[in-house]
Amino acid sequence: MPVLHNRISNEELKQRMYAETEPRKTVSFYKYFHINEPQAFRDALWVAFDKLKVFGRIYVANEGINGQISVPESNFEAFRDALYAAAPELNGIRLNIAVDDDGKSFWVLKIKVRPKIVADGIDDPNFDPSKTGVYLKAKDYNELAENPDTIVVDMRNHYEYEVGHFENAIEIPSDTFRDQLPMAVDMLKDQKDKNIIMYCTGGIRCEKASAYMLHNGFKNVFHVEGGIIEYARKAKEQNLPLKFIGKNFVFDDRLGERITEDIIAQCHICGKPCDTHTNCKNDGCHLLFIQCGECAEKLEGCCSADCQTEMHLPVEEQRAKRAGRENGPMIFNKSKDHPLRKHRNDWKIKPD
Ligand SMILES: [Zn+2]
Ligand SMILES: [Zn+2]
């Protein structure tokens, strides 16, 4: 039995990657299509990509494939050919190539078999996520969005919508994609003949959502090809009017990419126009929230006076306070009782 995974230590792999002299391209891709034997598919892919020094994370499921990888530039074409050849459905799929990326995000190839590529909570065996809505390119989006019989639906989280979204887009107010799907169906149940356009950051969620709407009897379902990222890129390239306003939230160091100059959100502390996300500087909190420069200075980057106080305690005391507190992604969200909101009753500074 050949070894189909790495056996070298993480540290050494990382060092090897940094010792490489050849630049890497960072590429992301996904495709919903039926994979009969995900494990066998995964193993064959691992053998092919390992030879080409592909690093990164790829998920394989019965419903398809989703990957974020890096590949040495000279192997890019061989990688693309290998991916296209892995299944007929993959031939010609869109590859998103990151522009300002140093290619150093990955140092090992991990391909994992998962129940789903995007967790959706659906166990209806008749639901086929590969039967998706119609792709909209930037130009087509702009046209269809103008139609009075069109409803634009944002399939992201509240904190993403808050700093930027398509004009007139509605929000599905839930914290998780799995709750959003039935909620979207319910919210729009009397509008089955309208044009429904769904979108998300990179396209993978809204594509599945479009399939779910069709599955639930909606007739005219569309989704933005490549999500906001591709829309903004194409709209700028083709000098089209930008229908997306504000910032596109992304989980990298910038916590968002400005699309237009509009600032549509407010500082969570003082309410002033602001769309800068930050993580609370208190190690026992790390809440993701919006904070203006003034409030950041006043609270030293913390979300509350309590966090500011806690941050300055001796490390041992900080640890003691943290013990027993719930962990997890600490994201400011209006629709949910945040475990750390308890100590934030005085969360908004009331105007005098
Ligand atoms: Zn403020
Ligand atoms: Zn905090």
Side-chain angles (χ1 to χ4, degrees), residues 119-345:
D120 55 20
I122 303 169
D123 47 22
D124 180 349
N126 296 316
F127 172 58
D128 180 355
S130 70
K131 289 186 178 142
T132 66
V134 178
Y135 273 131
L136 289 178
K137 293 191 187 300
K139 191 170 167 290
D140 310 325
Y141 175 86
N142 282 3
E143 273 167 32
L144 194 63
E146 292 290 310
N147 186 323
D149 285 324
T150 296
I151 302 171
V152 181
V153 185
D154 191 312
M155 291 307 292
R156 300 172 303 155
N157 293 305
H158 171 73
Y159 59 88
E160 298 171 295
Y161 179 91
E162 195 178 8
V163 293
H165 51 249
F166 277 106
E167 279 170 12
N168 304 319
I170 62 164
E171 216 184 336
I172 309 294
S174 171
D175 291 340
T176 64
F177 184 66
R178 45 176 83 219
D179 293 338
Q180 276 183 327
L181 288 172
M183 205 182 266
V185 169
D186 190 56
M187 277 172 70
L188 299 167
K189 61 177 184 293
D190 300 323
Q191 330 236 32
K192 290 201 170 164
D193 295 319
K194 292 264 168 79
N195 303 314
I196 311 283
I197 307 180
M198 319 200 87
Y199 72 91
C200 62
T201 308
I204 189 166
R205 276 180 288 168
C206 66
E207 184 156 335
K208 182 177 264 188
S210 77
Y212 194 65
M213 298 306 272
L214 286 170
H215 180 71
N216 280 281
F218 289 80
K219 311 234 162 40
N220 309 310
V221 186
F222 303 82
H223 54 117
V224 178
E225 183 170 12
I228 300 160
I229 296 173
E230 182 70 4
Y231 171 86
R233 206 172 65 83
K234 280 280 151 58
K236 284 176 182 168
E237 211 176 270
Q238 300 167 8
N239 269 318
L240 302 170
L242 283 166
K243 300 279 184 192
F244 187 95
I245 44 172
K247 249 184 182 178
N248 179 27
F249 186 94
V250 283
F251 268 108
D252 63 16
D253 299 339
R254 297 165 300 162
L255 291 179
E257 183 179 38
R258 181 156 298 291
I259 310 285
T260 68
E261 292 309 313
D262 309 83
I263 295 180
I264 64 170
Q266 288 97 35
C267 171
H268 288 164
I269 311 291
C270 72
K272 233 179 26 200
C274 174
D275 60 7
T276 309
H277 271 104
T278 186
N279 285 102
C280 175
K281 295 286 175 294
N282 175 16
D283 283 336
C285 178
H286 284 176
L287 179 74
L288 178 69
F289 71 116
I290 298 174
Q291 187 171 47
C292 75
E294 257 169 64
C295 290
E297 210 181 295
K298 220 181 295 171
L299 294 169
E300 297 174 274
C302 290
C303 72
S304 62
D306 285 356
C307 273
Q308 192 180 11
T309 310
E310 188 171 308
M311 179 175 73
H312 290 299
L313 291 174
V315 180
E316 282 309 311
E317 271 180 63
Q318 285 188 42
R319 267 199 209 121
K321 283 201 169 244
R322 252 177 270 160
R325 240 188 237 160
E326 212 176 301
N327 286 317
M330 294 308 178
I331 292 167
F332 175 82
N333 204 320
K334 283 178 184 151
S335 63
K336 192 176 164 188
D337 255 347
H338 196 280
L340 292 166
R341 296 282 280 285
K342 281 181 236 124
H343 73 285
R344 295 178 67 214
N345 288 332

